[in-house]
mmCIF file of all heavy atoms in Angstrom:
data_model
loop_
_atom_site.group_PDB
_atom_site.id
_atom_site.type_symbol
_atom_site.label_atom_id
_atom_site.label_comp_id
_atom_site.label_asym_id
_atom_site.label_seq_id
_atom_site.Cartn_x
_atom_site.Cartn_y
_atom_site.Cartn_z
ATOM 1 N N ILE A 270 124.598 72.641 100.650
ATOM 2 C CA ILE A 270 123.434 72.734 99.760
ATOM 3 C C ILE A 270 123.744 71.838 98.594
ATOM 4 O O ILE A 270 124.931 71.567 98.273
ATOM 5 C CB ILE A 270 123.086 74.142 99.383
ATOM 6 C CG1 ILE A 270 121.692 74.250 98.803
ATOM 7 C CG2 ILE A 270 124.119 74.702 98.351
ATOM 8 C CD1 ILE A 270 121.231 75.676 98.622
ATOM 9 N N THR A 271 122.705 71.328 97.891
ATOM 10 C CA THR A 271 122.911 70.423 96.752
ATOM 11 C C THR A 271 122.824 71.208 95.409
ATOM 12 O O THR A 271 122.337 72.328 95.380
ATOM 13 C CB THR A 271 121.908 69.331 96.692
ATOM 14 O OG1 THR A 271 120.594 69.906 96.417
ATOM 15 C CG2 THR A 271 121.830 68.578 98.007
ATOM 16 N N ASP A 272 123.409 70.605 94.356
ATOM 17 C CA ASP A 272 123.272 71.201 92.990
ATOM 18 C C ASP A 272 121.795 71.300 92.602
ATOM 19 O O ASP A 272 121.440 72.217 91.867
ATOM 20 C CB ASP A 272 124.080 70.412 91.995
ATOM 21 C CG ASP A 272 125.539 70.848 91.968
ATOM 22 O OD1 ASP A 272 126.137 70.852 93.031
ATOM 23 O OD2 ASP A 272 126.011 71.127 90.916
ATOM 24 N N LEU A 273 120.976 70.295 92.995
ATOM 25 C CA LEU A 273 119.554 70.384 92.711
ATOM 26 C C LEU A 273 118.927 71.650 93.207
ATOM 27 O O LEU A 273 118.195 72.352 92.535
ATOM 28 C CB LEU A 273 118.850 69.188 93.310
ATOM 29 C CG LEU A 273 119.204 67.835 92.729
ATOM 30 C CD1 LEU A 273 118.630 66.676 93.604
ATOM 31 C CD2 LEU A 273 118.676 67.622 91.282
ATOM 32 N N GLN A 274 119.229 71.919 94.497
ATOM 33 C CA GLN A 274 118.692 73.143 95.152
ATOM 34 C C GLN A 274 119.244 74.405 94.493
ATOM 35 O O GLN A 274 118.539 75.397 94.246
ATOM 36 C CB GLN A 274 119.009 73.107 96.628
ATOM 37 C CG GLN A 274 118.289 72.021 97.406
ATOM 38 C CD GLN A 274 118.894 71.820 98.779
ATOM 39 O OE1 GLN A 274 120.008 71.401 98.934
ATOM 40 N NE2 GLN A 274 118.079 72.123 99.785
ATOM 41 N N ALA A 275 120.529 74.419 94.250
ATOM 42 C CA ALA A 275 121.185 75.527 93.595
ATOM 43 C C ALA A 275 120.637 75.817 92.242
ATOM 44 O O ALA A 275 120.406 77.021 91.905
ATOM 45 C CB ALA A 275 122.684 75.350 93.578
ATOM 46 N N ALA A 276 120.357 74.800 91.469
ATOM 47 C CA ALA A 276 119.727 74.981 90.137
ATOM 48 C C ALA A 276 118.398 75.615 90.252
ATOM 49 O O ALA A 276 118.016 76.463 89.444
ATOM 50 C CB ALA A 276 119.664 73.637 89.398
ATOM 51 N N LEU A 277 117.539 75.160 91.228
ATOM 52 C CA LEU A 277 116.275 75.756 91.410
ATOM 53 C C LEU A 277 116.424 77.183 91.882
ATOM 54 O O LEU A 277 115.700 78.080 91.340
ATOM 55 C CB LEU A 277 115.535 74.935 92.512
ATOM 56 C CG LEU A 277 114.143 75.503 92.934
ATOM 57 C CD1 LEU A 277 113.207 75.657 91.735
ATOM 58 C CD2 LEU A 277 113.523 74.576 93.997
ATOM 59 N N GLY A 278 117.344 77.483 92.760
ATOM 60 C CA GLY A 278 117.533 78.881 93.200
ATOM 61 C C GLY A 278 118.035 79.757 92.039
ATOM 62 O O GLY A 278 117.558 80.917 91.967
ATOM 63 N N LEU A 279 118.898 79.278 91.157
ATOM 64 C CA LEU A 279 119.319 80.054 89.961
ATOM 65 C C LEU A 279 118.150 80.385 89.112
ATOM 66 O O LEU A 279 117.991 81.554 88.625
ATOM 67 C CB LEU A 279 120.343 79.250 89.223
ATOM 68 C CG LEU A 279 121.798 79.441 89.470
ATOM 69 C CD1 LEU A 279 122.630 78.324 88.802
ATOM 70 C CD2 LEU A 279 122.268 80.831 89.051
ATOM 71 N N SER A 280 117.284 79.401 88.898
ATOM 72 C CA SER A 280 116.127 79.682 88.053
ATOM 73 C C SER A 280 115.160 80.663 88.683
ATOM 74 O O SER A 280 114.619 81.578 88.075
ATOM 75 C CB SER A 280 115.466 78.347 87.715
ATOM 76 O OG SER A 280 114.351 78.583 86.864
ATOM 77 N N GLN A 281 114.948 80.448 89.999
ATOM 78 C CA GLN A 281 114.010 81.341 90.728
ATOM 79 C C GLN A 281 114.531 82.778 90.765
ATOM 80 O O GLN A 281 113.773 83.732 90.690
ATOM 81 C CB GLN A 281 113.858 80.854 92.211
ATOM 82 C CG GLN A 281 113.028 79.595 92.327
ATOM 83 C CD GLN A 281 111.624 79.931 92.741
ATOM 84 O OE1 GLN A 281 111.333 80.528 93.795
ATOM 85 N NE2 GLN A 281 110.666 79.572 91.859
ATOM 86 N N LEU A 282 115.832 82.986 90.870
ATOM 87 C CA LEU A 282 116.466 84.267 90.987
ATOM 88 C C LEU A 282 116.096 85.155 89.715
ATOM 89 O O LEU A 282 116.037 86.359 89.840
ATOM 90 C CB LEU A 282 117.957 84.172 91.106
ATOM 91 C CG LEU A 282 118.711 85.466 91.448
ATOM 92 C CD1 LEU A 282 118.226 86.045 92.758
ATOM 93 C CD2 LEU A 282 120.226 85.172 91.479
ATOM 94 N N LYS A 283 115.874 84.475 88.608
ATOM 95 C CA LYS A 283 115.511 85.241 87.373
ATOM 96 C C LYS A 283 114.174 85.942 87.543
ATOM 97 O O LYS A 283 113.903 86.936 86.849
ATOM 98 C CB LYS A 283 115.478 84.309 86.218
ATOM 99 C CG LYS A 283 116.846 83.698 85.796
ATOM 100 C CD LYS A 283 116.674 82.617 84.767
ATOM 101 C CE LYS A 283 118.047 81.984 84.473
ATOM 102 N NZ LYS A 283 117.896 80.907 83.472
ATOM 103 N N SER A 284 113.325 85.457 88.481
ATOM 104 C CA SER A 284 111.981 86.054 88.677
ATOM 105 C C SER A 284 111.898 86.891 89.953
ATOM 106 O O SER A 284 110.849 87.407 90.224
ATOM 107 C CB SER A 284 110.986 84.883 88.740
ATOM 108 O OG SER A 284 110.948 84.049 87.606
ATOM 109 N N ILE A 285 113.029 87.111 90.657
ATOM 110 C CA ILE A 285 112.892 87.729 91.942
ATOM 111 C C ILE A 285 112.280 89.113 91.857
ATOM 112 O O ILE A 285 111.484 89.501 92.733
ATOM 113 C CB ILE A 285 114.289 87.742 92.657
ATOM 114 C CG1 ILE A 285 114.094 88.202 94.138
ATOM 115 C CG2 ILE A 285 115.308 88.620 91.928
ATOM 116 C CD1 ILE A 285 115.331 87.995 94.983
ATOM 117 N N ASP A 286 112.677 89.950 90.874
ATOM 118 C CA ASP A 286 112.161 91.315 90.802
ATOM 119 C C ASP A 286 110.681 91.314 90.455
ATOM 120 O O ASP A 286 109.935 92.167 90.947
ATOM 121 C CB ASP A 286 112.972 92.116 89.779
ATOM 122 C CG ASP A 286 114.391 92.394 90.270
ATOM 123 O OD1 ASP A 286 114.597 92.376 91.481
ATOM 124 O OD2 ASP A 286 115.260 92.626 89.389
ATOM 125 N N SER A 287 110.234 90.368 89.595
ATOM 126 C CA SER A 287 108.777 90.294 89.319
ATOM 127 C C SER A 287 108.048 89.793 90.572
ATOM 128 O O SER A 287 106.883 90.215 90.793
ATOM 129 C CB SER A 287 108.551 89.414 88.124
ATOM 130 O OG SER A 287 108.918 88.057 88.382
ATOM 131 N N PHE A 288 108.652 88.867 91.328
ATOM 132 C CA PHE A 288 108.010 88.419 92.551
ATOM 133 C C PHE A 288 107.804 89.527 93.553
ATOM 134 O O PHE A 288 106.719 89.724 94.096
ATOM 135 C CB PHE A 288 108.810 87.311 93.217
ATOM 136 C CG PHE A 288 108.801 86.012 92.528
ATOM 137 C CD1 PHE A 288 109.752 85.047 92.833
ATOM 138 C CD2 PHE A 288 107.824 85.634 91.551
ATOM 139 C CE1 PHE A 288 109.776 83.766 92.212
ATOM 140 C CE2 PHE A 288 107.830 84.409 90.914
ATOM 141 C CZ PHE A 288 108.807 83.457 91.277
ATOM 142 N N THR A 289 108.856 90.359 93.772
ATOM 143 C CA THR A 289 108.786 91.428 94.724
ATOM 144 C C THR A 289 107.827 92.496 94.237
ATOM 145 O O THR A 289 107.154 93.142 95.028
ATOM 146 C CB THR A 289 110.170 91.960 95.093
ATOM 147 O OG1 THR A 289 110.848 92.384 93.903
ATOM 148 C CG2 THR A 289 110.969 90.967 95.847
ATOM 149 N N ALA A 290 107.851 92.770 92.922
ATOM 150 C CA ALA A 290 106.920 93.785 92.394
ATOM 151 C C ALA A 290 105.507 93.339 92.579
ATOM 152 O O ALA A 290 104.628 94.169 93.009
ATOM 153 C CB ALA A 290 107.188 93.963 90.909
ATOM 154 N N ARG A 291 105.254 92.062 92.327
ATOM 155 C CA ARG A 291 103.849 91.584 92.518
ATOM 156 C C ARG A 291 103.433 91.619 93.993
ATOM 157 O O ARG A 291 102.309 92.029 94.343
ATOM 158 C CB ARG A 291 103.804 90.118 92.046
ATOM 159 C CG ARG A 291 102.509 89.407 92.236
ATOM 160 C CD ARG A 291 101.351 90.047 91.406
ATOM 161 N NE ARG A 291 100.099 89.323 91.520
ATOM 162 C CZ ARG A 291 98.944 89.800 91.185
ATOM 163 N NH1 ARG A 291 98.914 91.033 90.618
ATOM 164 N NH2 ARG A 291 97.841 89.093 91.297
#
Side-chain angles (χ1 to χ4, degrees):
I270 197 170
T271 68
D272 275 53
L273 293 169
Q274 294 166 295
L277 177 56
L279 267 168
S280 182
Q281 285 263 300
L282 189 61
K283 296 173 184 176
S284 301
I285 190 170
D286 291 336
S287 64
F288 287 165
T289 55
R291 177 66 176 164

